[in-house]
Amino acid sequence: EDCLGPKCENWEYTPHRIARLQCEDAQIIIANHALYFTDLAAEAGILPHHDVVVFDEAHHLDRAAVGALSVQVNRWMCHRLLQRVQRRFNSVPARIIETLSTAESELMEALYRRGRGQFRLERDPAFEATTRQMAEALSRLAEWLGTTDIKQMTLLDADPGIAVQRAETMREQMQSVAKDLAGKWDHFATLRSG
């Protein structure tokens, strides 16, 4: 979570980066189901372009595909993100906290009214409006994170240079999570029965 990525002075030599570079020239790559479908769903480019895929243990394939190609939400996703942001930043605007908390409460109320378990989501204008509100609240948080000066963050490292790098990376990670969650809720805001 606190990896500095390309900002780290040792980035060129990390096993992860070296393995990724070697994948580009490989004739055969062995990956598990979860990695394959996550890469496919996210269009992340983790795996290089390929023409053929052979699946071993195909009886697990459906579970990996459903896990990667579906959207799962839970009651505390946004709450945990907001807590993480508040631990790192000295002052998060009250309107962002209030908007996100209200949107999450209304959304969870709408979800739990339907009962426990899995169910097919059908077009519901009230639910779509609630999920759109959540997506917008998360987008505002992501936008705020992108424009906020890291000097407002609580820095954890003794070395000022490393502290700034880590703070920038953490801010980017939190912004990425907020954008990802906004995208998931926006998906529900645009449901169409079919």
Side-chain angles (χ1 to χ4, degrees):
E1 184 172 282
D2 292 338
C3 174
L4 298 176
K7 296 176 185 174
C8 177
E9 62 188 49
N10 297 313
W11 174 250
E12 296 287 322
Y13 312 105
T14 60
H16 174 264
R17 183 173 181 285
I18 291 169
R20 291 283 305 270
L21 291 172
Q22 290 173 341
C23 276
E24 294 298 325
D25 297 325
Q27 297 289 322
I28 296 175
I29 297 173
I30 299 173
N32 65 28
H33 301 122
L35 174 61
Y36 180 80
F37 283 108
T38 300
D39 184 56
L40 181 68
E43 297 178 358
I46 296 169
L47 300 174
H49 174 74
H50 50 279
D51 296 318
V52 177
V53 177
V54 176
F55 291 107
D56 187 21
E57 300 285 329
H59 59 280
H60 297 294
L61 199 58
D62 58 341
R63 191 174 354 177
V66 167
L69 301 171
S70 63
V71 177
Q72 183 177 5
V73 295
N74 70 51
R75 180 166 182 79
W76 304 111
M77 290 172 82
C78 296
H79 181 74
R80 280 195 306 263
L81 172 61
L82 190 55
Q83 281 183 329
R84 185 174 176 210
V85 170
Q86 288 177 301
R87 277 195 309 269
R88 298 295 184 200
F89 286 90
N90 298 326
S91 60
V92 179
R95 70 180 176 4
I96 289 178
I97 296 169
E98 183 179 324
T99 302
L100 196 53
S101 297
T102 300
E104 184 174 38
S105 293
E106 290 176 9
L107 182 61
M108 291 302 127
E109 184 178 313
L111 282 173
Y112 291 120
R113 264 196 311 263
R114 296 192 75 165
R116 296 180 61 92
Q118 297 179 353
F119 49 88
R120 178 184 169 98
L121 286 177
E122 296 176 357
R123 189 144 197 269
D124 176 352
F127 180 72
E128 290 173 13
T130 305
T131 56
R132 188 170 293 108
Q133 178 184 356
M134 177 60 101
E136 290 170 0
L138 285 160
S139 292
R140 281 194 288 280
L141 175 62
E143 183 180 326
W144 179 80
L145 285 166
T147 59
T148 302
D149 190 344
I150 61 166
K151 292 177 184 170
Q152 294 184 30
M153 291 183 75
T154 303
L155 304 179
L156 303 176
D157 293 275
D159 180 322
I162 296 292
V164 168
Q165 285 181 331
R166 195 173 308 279
E168 287 173 350
T169 300
M170 292 172 82
R171 180 183 67 182
E172 290 168 8
Q173 289 171 342
M174 289 184 283
Q175 183 182 22
S176 177
V177 169
K179 285 179 179 179
D180 181 57
L181 287 173
K184 287 180 179 182
W185 287 116
D186 188 55
H187 167 78
F188 286 113
T190 57
L191 283 174
R192 298 291 176 255
S193 55

